[in-house]
């Protein structure tokens, strides 16, 4: 659920959406983008279409605007697979037990540029960090529990 909220925030903040709806060639589009996919489930929102699929036993979410253009994909990412300098920054600034790692995802846009998002919690807040492909860490959002 939190992954969906993060992805939605990313989509709203980085994309402009068309207002006309066109049908997407679900299997063809997804197959050409990701290869062999299974368990395809489509959902529509006001500004985008989302396909949840399984690729090589991993859940992937694919986002399209209403014109059928690829916005990007999200998938879970292991924390230890982040850029090394990002790991160093996060583990020194956001230390356990004050901060608990909730999840880490990678958002890859339609131009194949990736941004990682790490969500963490404290006793009173939920925060999200954004990490570039080069390991630069920035504050993305913060909310109270």
């Amino acid at each position: 659920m939190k992954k969906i909220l993060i992805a939605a925030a990313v989509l709203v903040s980085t994309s402009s959406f068309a207002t006309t709806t066109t049908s997407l060639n679900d299997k063809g589009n997804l197959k050409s983008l990701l290869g062999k996919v299974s368990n395809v489930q489509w959902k529509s929102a006001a500004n985008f279409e989302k396909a949840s699929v399984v690729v090589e036993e991993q859940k992937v979410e694919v986002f399209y605007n209403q014109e059928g253009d690829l916005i990007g994909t999200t998938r879970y990412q292991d924390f230890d697979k982040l850029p090394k300098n990002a790991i160093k920054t996060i583990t020194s600034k956001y230390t356990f037990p004050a901060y608990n790692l909730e999840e880490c995802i990678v958002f890859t846009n339609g131009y194949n540029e990736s941004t990682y998002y790490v969500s963490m919690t404290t006793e009173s807040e939920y925060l999200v960090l954004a990490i570039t492909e080069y390991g630069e860490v920035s504050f993305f959002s913060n909310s109270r529990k």
Side-chain angles (χ1 to χ4, degrees):
M1 180 66 170
K2 291 177 184 170
K3 179 179 175 185
I4 295 169
L5 295 175
I6 293 171
V10 171
L11 295 172
V12 170
S13 67
T14 61
S15 303
S16 61
F17 301 106
T19 55
T20 55
T21 303
T22 21
S23 62
L24 298 168
N25 178 359
D26 57 350
K27 288 258 183 180
N29 236 349
L30 293 171
K31 192 172 187 176
S32 66
L33 177 66
L34 301 170
K36 186 178 179 183
V37 298
S38 61
N39 300 333
V40 179
Q41 297 178 353
W42 285 94
K43 291 191 179 177
S44 295
N47 296 323
F48 60 90
E49 302 282 330
K50 177 181 83 169
S52 297
V53 301
V54 175
V55 179
E56 297 177 10
E57 299 181 22
Q58 183 180 33
K59 184 177 178 185
V60 177
E61 293 176 335
V62 184
F63 297 88
Y64 294 94
N65 66 17
Q66 295 295 340
E67 294 176 327
D69 300 320
L70 177 68
I71 297 169
T73 63
T74 62
R75 64 179 74 215
Y76 285 101
Q77 176 73 36
D78 290 332
F79 182 79
D80 62 348
K81 302 290 190 236
L82 291 174
K84 297 295 180 210
N85 47 336
I87 294 171
K88 184 178 178 183
T89 300
I90 293 168
T91 56
S92 64
K93 189 172 181 180
Y94 302 96
T95 58
F96 182 81
Y99 291 90
N100 291 302
L101 177 67
E102 291 293 313
E103 67 183 350
C104 181
I105 65 167
V106 59
F107 174 79
T108 304
N109 68 20
Y111 301 104
N112 209 29
E113 300 164 331
S114 296
T115 304
Y116 304 93
Y117 293 90
V118 173
S119 62
M120 305 182 89
T121 58
T122 67
E123 286 184 16
S124 61
E125 60 187 348
Y126 176 78
L127 66 103
V128 178
L129 304 173
I131 299 132
T132 68
E133 292 175 312
Y134 306 106
E136 298 165 347
V137 179
S138 62
F139 185 77
F140 183 73
S141 72
N142 187 9
S143 61
R144 294 277 176 210
K145 283 185 175 180

